[in-house]
Amino acid sequence: MKQLNTYLHKKILVLGLAKSGVTAAALLHKLGAFVTVNDKKPLSENPEARGLLEQGIKVICGEHPVELLDEGFELIVKNPGIPYQNPIIEGALEKGIPVLTEVELAYQISEAPFIGITGTNGKTTTTTLIYEMLNEGKKSPLIAGNIGTVASGVAQEATSENNIVIELSSFQLMGIQSFNPKIAIITNLYDAHLDYHGTRKEYHKAKANINKNQTEEDYFIYNADQQEVREIAECSQATIIPFSTKRVLNEGAYIRDGWIWFNNENVMKVDQIALPGVHNLENILSAMAAAKLTGVSNEAIETVLRTFTGVKHRLQYVTEIADRKFYNDSKATNILATINALQAFKAPIILLAGGLDRGNEFDELLPYLKNVKALVTFGQTSAKINRVGMEAGIKQINTVDNVEKAVPVAFEYSEPGDVILLSPACASWDQYKTFEVRGDIFIEAVHKLK
């Protein structure tokens, strides 16, 4: 960890806790800052805040009082989930107070280079693939961000011998200043989180921040099959590395004659890859490109791709019961992710879907429901998804209270050879704290069938 004097004796507000806020507050305290933590959860229900209090850090809980801005803070480090419309954030920006996320702190103290991955879909799978490839190639990777431990915690332990592989959300990338990954990746871009960003343009602008500080000594791996991602690449100062699942490229990562290629070198046969789903080829190509740029051998890449079958909650194979295969795709929190999951199977599907209603309809699913023989829905969007299911001609449609009750109903609809797939097409927050909780409940309910 680099020893910085940047924050010595500076007054800093950490807004919002969770894991990132707790780690950032403790780090800044260690770096000699005068830290105040503000979290909306009351102190009596907030063990994290009480822990910081015991370290001698000032803690204010129960609300976000705008009056805090009168205390003369020089910097705010905010939880990524707190919107910029928060009155404290709006007031800080009006006063010219910088507002960062803890990813920026991680970069400033890290002795290790970063490999940063963002995009609408595929971030977690790509991040995990890169980590596994670098690990197999003896490149001493560490994993951070949404998929692993908090970035500023990982960075404290990293040395120049490590590579930090980090999954980055648009929320995190809005709060960077000097953050500059040695390798940056955008897997793809679609509409998402518009309730946070307001417009598609602002969402894409946040994602593009991943390469805003890169130079020609850095690498930007991008999806050459998408115009909007190509436009970001055209403005990049980095050495650009395209990937494509649809056409042969002169350079970068692509598919030709049943092989995956990097530049003019064939690396592995596509039919030997263990990870299911055509959409995962995007993740595989971008991960392979990052691994090759880091000096990982073809043998190490091939070993990972022959054995890696997916990340938990991302089209995760759960088990087989009575010749029915169960898959947990709880991470499918948008329509595109569910479309990708549906396209991954040729067998008849019993689809479990539903969740938070963000105001959109689900007509985009219609062309991809041909293989769905039964539909079990839950959550706020049940009626909307049921309507699309009826338009698709699905005969067996049932609405239940939650995921746990959906599993036995789906099993009753199924026959030997069928796939029972949880792929909600919605966020989980109407019923569950996270998509991980939703997926775990699905897994538990499946095992109860045995």
Side-chain angles (χ1 to χ4, degrees), residues 12-17 21-22 24-25 28 35-39 77-78:
I12 299 175
L13 175 64
V14 175
L15 190 64
L17 282 180
V22 170
L28 289 164
V35 181
T36 298
V37 168
N38 177 220
D39 194 60
V77 178
K78 80 172 190 71

Side-chain angles (χ1 to χ4, degrees), residues 34-92:
F34 299 124
V35 181
T36 298
V37 168
N38 177 220
D39 194 60
K40 208 165 187 179
K41 191 187 295 183
L43 188 63
S44 59
E45 303 171 14
N46 205 326
E48 296 89 354
R50 293 198 299 273
L52 293 172
L53 199 59
E54 291 170 3
Q55 296 179 45
I57 296 172
K58 183 179 178 181
V59 173
I60 298 170
C61 288
E63 60 176 338
H64 291 314
V66 181
E67 295 77 22
L68 275 173
L69 291 176
D70 297 332
E71 296 193 15
F73 292 109
E74 298 170 75
L75 173 70
I76 292 178
V77 178
K78 80 172 190 71
N79 181 290
I82 295 176
Y84 282 79
Q85 291 73 31
N86 178 285
I88 291 180
I89 300 300
E90 288 184 329

Side-chain angles (χ1 to χ4, degrees), residues 76-149:
I76 292 178
V77 178
K78 80 172 190 71
N79 181 290
I82 295 176
Y84 282 79
Q85 291 73 31
N86 178 285
I88 291 180
I89 300 300
E90 288 184 329
L93 293 174
E94 287 176 8
K95 289 174 177 285
I97 301 172
V99 177
L100 304 177
T101 53
E102 64 87 29
V103 170
E104 178 68 20
L105 300 181
Y107 177 74
Q108 291 176 8
I109 66 166
S110 178
E111 296 178 11
F114 282 76
I115 300 174
I117 302 95
T118 197
T120 303
N121 291 317
K123 296 186 296 296
T124 302
T125 298
T126 303
T127 301
T128 308
L129 278 168
I130 294 171
Y131 172 81
E132 295 293 342
M133 289 174 182
L134 266 61
N135 192 48
E136 184 69 24
K138 306 295 189 294
K139 298 297 179 180
S140 305
L142 301 171
I143 198 163
N146 296 336
I147 186 173
T149 51

Side-chain angles (χ1 to χ4, degrees), residues 205-218:
K205 181 180 175 182
K207 290 291 193 183
N209 275 349
I210 195 170
N211 81 333
K212 75 173 185 177
N213 296 314
Q214 287 191 298
T215 70
E216 61 184 12
E217 296 180 356
D218 306 311

Side-chain angles (χ1 to χ4, degrees), residues 71-301:
E71 296 193 15
F73 292 109
E74 298 170 75
L75 173 70
I76 292 178
V77 178
K78 80 172 190 71
N79 181 290
I82 295 176
Y84 282 79
Q85 291 73 31
N86 178 285
I88 291 180
I89 300 300
E90 288 184 329
L93 293 174
E94 287 176 8
K95 289 174 177 285
I97 301 172
V99 177
L100 304 177
T101 53
E102 64 87 29
V103 170
E104 178 68 20
L105 300 181
Y107 177 74
Q108 291 176 8
I109 66 166
S110 178
E111 296 178 11
F114 282 76
I115 300 174
I117 302 95
T118 197
T120 303
N121 291 317
K123 296 186 296 296
T124 302
T125 298
T126 303
T127 301
T128 308
L129 278 168
I130 294 171
Y131 172 81
E132 295 293 342
M133 289 174 182
L134 266 61
N135 192 48
E136 184 69 24
K138 306 295 189 294
K139 298 297 179 180
S140 305
L142 301 171
I143 198 163
N146 296 336
I147 186 173
T149 51
V150 176
S152 56
V154 173
Q156 291 181 58
E157 306 300 325
T159 72
S160 58
E161 299 300 313
N162 299 119
N163 291 275
I164 297 178
V165 186
I166 181 170
E167 176 186 341
L168 295 161
S169 71
S170 56
F171 306 158
Q172 291 169 309
L173 288 168
M174 286 184 74
I176 64 169
Q177 197 169 63
S178 60
F179 176 79
N180 180 21
K182 182 66 179 176
I183 299 174
I185 299 173
I186 295 182
T187 58
N188 49 55
L189 286 178
Y190 299 97
D191 288 350
H193 303 300
L194 299 189
D195 51 341
Y196 185 101
H197 293 284
T199 66
R200 178 188 180 103
K201 181 179 179 181
E202 288 301 311
Y203 170 61
H204 290 186
K205 181 180 175 182
K207 290 291 193 183
N209 275 349
I210 195 170
N211 81 333
K212 75 173 185 177
N213 296 314
Q214 287 191 298
T215 70
E216 61 184 12
E217 296 180 356
D218 306 311
Y219 297 98
F220 177 43
I221 300 170
Y222 69 98
N223 190 335
D225 295 331
Q226 288 194 313
Q227 176 63 31
E228 288 161 310
V229 183
R230 289 200 302 271
E231 289 172 1
I232 294 173
E234 288 167 4
C235 298
S236 176
Q237 299 302 307
T239 299
I240 57 174
I241 309 292
F243 69 88
S244 172
T245 62
K246 298 179 179 178
R247 56 198 173 93
V248 175
L249 304 174
N250 293 325
E251 59 182 357
Y254 51 93
I255 298 168
R256 188 176 84 191
D257 301 329
W259 288 70
I260 57 172
W261 293 67
F262 183 72
N263 291 338
N264 293 313
E265 181 183 15
N266 57 348
V267 177
M268 181 180 178
K269 286 186 175 180
V270 174
D271 62 10
Q272 294 176 337
I273 294 170
L275 188 62
V278 174
H279 65 287
N280 274 318
L281 287 173
E282 285 187 351
N283 308 326
I284 287 164
L285 290 175
S286 58
M288 176 187 68
K292 292 288 286 182
L293 292 171
T294 315
V296 175
S297 68
N298 289 355
E299 291 75 18
I301 292 169

